[in-house]
Amino acid sequence: MKPEGSAILHQKYFSLSNKLIEITLRDGQVITCTIAGFFRDPDNQEQIIEWHIVPQTLQNTAEDIFNTATGQTIKHSQIRQVVFREDNSMMFFT
């Protein structure tokens, strides 16, 4: 069976040494960030349904004043494109 797009993104991202990426969302928003975590589909453990990202502007702050992780979550379905800064390769999602 062919790997699903989120699984391919996971494999590529976690094999890099430079974790800085640029995500373009379907609404046109561009976020330069790192991935801090992810949430798998409970019915299909191969598929990642949400990514916890930390924008580059927040890279040096691990927690906010309420002791919770910084950043935001985005649904995998919101991602149009990812550019990997380490090798300038791109992934496109339809």
Side-chain angles (χ1 to χ4, degrees):
M1 179 181 230
K2 184 178 172 184
E4 191 270 334
S6 66
I8 296 169
L9 173 56
H10 178 275
Q11 181 180 14
K12 168 81 176 181
Y13 180 81
F14 288 101
S15 70
L16 300 172
S17 55
N18 178 359
K19 304 288 190 203
L20 195 61
I21 60 175
E22 185 177 281
I23 296 176
T24 303
L25 301 179
R26 295 193 185 279
D27 67 4
Q29 181 182 4
V30 178
I31 306 167
T32 302
C33 61
T34 57
I35 295 174
F38 51 89
F39 301 92
R40 293 190 185 274
D41 183 340
D43 298 324
N44 178 0
Q45 289 294 305
E46 295 296 314
Q47 185 176 16
I48 296 169
I49 56 174
E50 289 187 3
W51 299 95
H52 176 195
I53 61 170
V54 180
Q56 186 177 22
T57 57
L58 299 175
Q59 292 294 312
N60 294 326
T61 56
E63 297 176 338
D64 66 13
I65 60 171
F66 298 110
N67 204 28
T68 57
T70 59
Q72 66 190 79
T73 58
I74 57 171
K75 293 182 185 302
H76 181 76
S77 61
Q78 292 177 293
I79 300 173
R80 181 185 329 150
Q81 170 184 311
V82 177
V83 176
F84 301 91
R85 292 281 179 94
E86 181 171 298
D87 60 4
N88 289 319
S89 63
M90 290 187 235
M91 290 182 77
F92 295 92
F93 300 96
T94 57

